[in-house]
Amino acid sequence: AQTVTQSQPEMSVQEAETVTLSCTYDTSESDYYLFWYKQPPSRQMILVIRQEAYKQQNATENRFSVNFQKAAKSFSLKISDSQLGDAAMYFCAYRSADFGNEKLTFGTGTRLTIIP
Amino acid sequence: GAVVSQHPSRVICKSGTSVKIECRSLDFQATTMFWYRQFPKQSLMLMATSNEGSKATYEQGVEKDKFLINHASLTLSTLTVTSAHPEDSSFYICSAKTAWVYEQYFGPGTRLTVT
């Protein structure tokens, strides 16, 4: 079974600065997807960024980028120019590429606080 | 596009009663829906996966007779908590996806309180 580990329960960053959230995972599969989800106080899960394991290039979405290290099974999220609206719980998630096994496995989350 | 709704957003019920939570995909056909449970300050735990027209597949440790899941159409899945007890109080989240795409779209969640 796959596991996802987020070792930072809480992080804080000054507004406009950069912060990196860590995520490691364990799997025996070679093809899979990785995601970062944001859960603000409203509790609505919002997809921040995704990475296909077969792609060597790190995914980027505006101020959000990932550092995907497949051999190390590491998938960190970098948030640049942090904004107050970035304050939320962030969950790393794993999904097999096998369409017969589509469930998401979530990490325990990192609570990000933005300091004005 | 890709909007998922849940109803109700909040529900309070008495111990021993049953409560039904609906999950709807508003603008796409959801071939697969997922039900998650989230305790305060914790992560999402998958309860079950349901494919339209088929019986749900429950995760280990989830009582299928207590948490009844029905996915009778391509836009609606329901979770019924039967004989609810205070320990069933939690935040329940559904997600939905269409065939042959990897992304799941999440509903806004339902807070269940059992008194």
Side-chain angles (χ1 to χ4, degrees):
Chain A
Q2 294 78 26
T3 58
V4 178
T5 301
Q6 293 179 250
S7 59
Q8 305 156 315
E10 297 184 352
M11 292 282 285
S12 61
V13 63
Q14 293 275 354
E15 193 176 3
E17 297 296 309
T18 296
V19 64
T20 299
L21 308 184
S22 300
C23 173
T24 59
Y25 58 95
D26 189 28
T27 184
S28 59
E29 299 180 317
S30 59
D31 199 11
Y32 46 86
Y33 302 101
L34 296 166
F35 305 87
W36 278 97
Y37 283 91
K38 170 185 177 181
Q39 189 180 42
S42 68
R43 308 289 293 269
Q44 173 74 58
M45 295 290 284
I46 302 167
L47 178 63
V48 175
I49 199 166
R50 69 174 186 271
Q51 175 78 44
E52 291 90 339
Y54 65 86
K55 291 185 176 180
Q56 291 187 332
Q57 187 172 8
N58 289 324
T60 62
E61 287 287 343
N62 301 313
R63 298 182 295 108
F64 299 88
S65 61
V66 298
N67 183 2
F68 173 49
Q69 301 290 329
K70 190 172 184 179
K73 296 180 181 175
S74 170
F75 182 60
S76 61
L77 174 70
K78 186 172 81 171
I79 305 174
S80 304
D81 185 25
S82 298
Q83 300 175 359
L84 294 177
D86 295 334
M89 282 290 290
Y90 286 81
F91 293 99
C92 178
Y94 172 102
R95 206 215 93 154
S96 170
D98 178 4
F99 276 97
N101 181 15
E102 300 183 280
K103 64 183 182 181
L104 287 171
T105 301
F106 287 92
T108 51
T110 297
R111 180 172 301 281
L112 179 63
T113 300
I114 310 297
I115 303 168
Chain B
V3 177
V4 176
S5 69
Q6 279 184 244
H7 178 80
S9 58
R10 290 175 176 264
V11 58
I12 301 173
C13 70
K14 292 187 176 181
S15 185
T17 63
S18 296
V19 61
K20 180 184 289 187
I21 302 169
E22 292 186 348
C23 176
R24 293 182 184 272
S25 57
L26 300 185
D27 51 4
F28 67 99
Q29 293 187 327
T31 52
T32 306
M33 287 184 165
F34 304 86
W35 286 95
Y36 298 87
R37 184 172 182 177
Q38 186 179 31
F39 289 107
K41 299 186 179 181
Q42 293 190 23
S43 188
L44 282 72
M45 298 300 296
L46 180 66
M47 299 175 66
T49 302
S50 70
N51 293 301
E52 185 265 337
S54 302
K55 287 185 177 180
T57 301
Y58 289 82
E59 294 299 299
Q60 191 172 8
V62 177
E63 300 175 62
K64 60 183 179 182
D65 294 332
K66 181 170 187 61
F67 299 99
L68 302 179
I69 292 171
N70 182 282
H71 189 170
S73 79
L74 285 171
T75 60
L76 173 65
S77 176
T78 59
L79 167 67
T80 301
V81 184
T82 62
S83 187
H85 291 283
E87 57 265 31
D88 299 324
S89 299
S90 189
F91 193 68
Y92 292 88
I93 303 174
C94 75
S95 70
K97 65 178 297 296
T98 192
W100 307 114
V101 298
Y102 54 78
E103 186 165 354
Q104 297 180 22
Y105 300 97
F106 285 83
T110 296
R111 181 175 301 282
L112 169 64
T113 303
V114 184
T115 61

